[in-house]
Amino acid sequence: KIIFMAEKFVKRAENQSLTKVEEAVAHALLDLENSASELKKELSAMKLHSVKEVQVTSADKKAKNVLLVILEFKSYPILKKYYKKIAAILEKKLKTPVLFIAKRTIQSKWVKENKTQKRPISRTLTKVHEAILDDLVQPANIVAKSIRHQADGSMVTKISLDMNEKESVEEKVDAIATVYKKLTSKDLAIDFKQELPFYTIAKRKSK
């Protein structure tokens, strides 16, 4: 019964069983749903597409595994609203770092049902890759981004994250770069900087 209740979090065909890591994440979400009354309604609507285990080698050459949780697209706003709480509890229960992205589909501009059909901008390769990066760095915001061209002809995407979230994200920098590379084949470099404030200048009243 407990396994069946946990399976409600994962979208699967009837003849497909969950992997061990998917079961682990589903059980952790079930425990969280039962223990956090303020999240019960939101978590009951959350659906996972899949969970993947990714090996990450850090700068000190130590290897570790992280979990990449891929949510159904409509479920991602629920996660984003309570990201810090859900991520912290899952990582504590699973004893491993966890990253989240929404399930997105890249649509070829050549695939059309009719000649007048236009491809949604959100489904272009560029926009999907940008959205994946925004997902992976949560709860931080990207405050600066550039493309660096290397001497060997390769390119590196360089991003700066909001310094205010450094404590939340710093330990996952290697994992974020590794997962992003696996998903997009693009190299990623990450640092932190203080986000510049925006100032509103009042217009001078005309005489």
Side-chain angles (χ1 to χ4, degrees):
K1 184 178 179 181
I2 294 176
I3 294 176
F4 175 76
M5 291 175 66
E7 285 181 344
K8 72 176 184 175
F9 288 106
V10 187
K11 190 175 181 180
R12 276 288 186 275
E14 290 184 5
N15 60 341
Q16 288 183 314
S17 58
L18 305 187
T19 64
K20 289 184 178 180
V21 289
E22 287 170 346
E23 282 187 10
V25 172
H27 277 292
L29 286 173
L30 181 62
D31 290 344
L32 179 56
E33 181 187 27
N34 292 332
S35 61
S37 57
E38 72 277 14
L39 297 179
K40 190 175 183 66
K41 182 178 178 181
E42 285 77 7
L43 287 175
S44 65
M46 185 177 285
K47 297 293 181 184
L48 310 183
H49 176 270
S50 60
V51 181
K52 300 182 183 300
E53 199 166 19
V54 181
Q55 188 175 73
V56 175
T57 303
S58 59
D60 58 6
K61 304 301 181 183
K62 291 183 179 179
K64 63 180 179 180
N65 289 333
V66 301
L67 294 182
L68 174 64
V69 178
I70 305 172
L71 295 163
E72 291 295 326
F73 185 79
K74 291 183 179 180
S75 294
Y76 192 79
I78 300 172
L79 169 76
K80 195 169 182 179
K81 187 176 180 180
Y82 302 101
Y83 189 96
K84 286 187 176 181
K85 184 163 189 174
I86 293 175
I89 293 175
L90 286 186
E91 289 178 344
K92 184 177 180 180
K93 288 181 176 294
L94 300 170
K95 296 180 173 57
T96 187
V98 180
L99 295 174
F100 300 86
I101 63 170
K103 173 64 178 173
R104 294 181 173 85
T105 303
I106 298 172
Q107 182 177 320
S108 171
K109 63 180 178 180
W110 305 112
V111 178
K112 297 182 179 181
E113 293 182 4
N114 57 69
K115 293 182 179 180
T116 59
Q117 180 181 350
K118 291 185 177 181
R119 176 179 57 167
I121 294 177
S122 62
R123 292 196 174 186
T124 63
L125 182 140
T126 299
K127 290 298 182 183
V128 169
H129 285 186
E130 288 177 353
I132 288 172
L133 186 54
D134 286 337
D135 290 350
L136 289 173
V137 301
Q138 288 296 318
N141 293 317
I142 298 173
V143 299
K145 183 179 180 182
S146 61
I147 305 295
R148 290 184 175 180
H149 295 266
Q150 307 291 83
D152 61 2
S154 62
M155 294 186 295
V156 178
T157 301
K158 169 74 163 47
I159 62 171
S160 296
L161 303 180
D162 185 2
M163 182 67 75
N164 293 328
E165 294 293 347
K166 184 176 181 178
E167 186 177 343
S168 301
V169 183
E170 189 173 26
E171 291 185 357
K172 297 182 180 180
V173 164
D174 293 324
I176 292 169
T178 299
V179 171
Y180 186 70
K181 172 79 171 179
K182 287 183 178 294
L183 295 174
T184 67
S185 299
K186 294 178 180 178
D187 291 313
L188 181 68
I190 303 172
D191 65 12
F192 296 86
K193 67 187 300 184
Q194 193 67 46
E195 185 173 12
L196 296 176
F198 290 92
Y199 296 96
T200 301
I201 302 176
K203 292 183 179 180
R204 295 175 64 183
K205 294 182 179 180
S206 57
K207 295 181 180 179

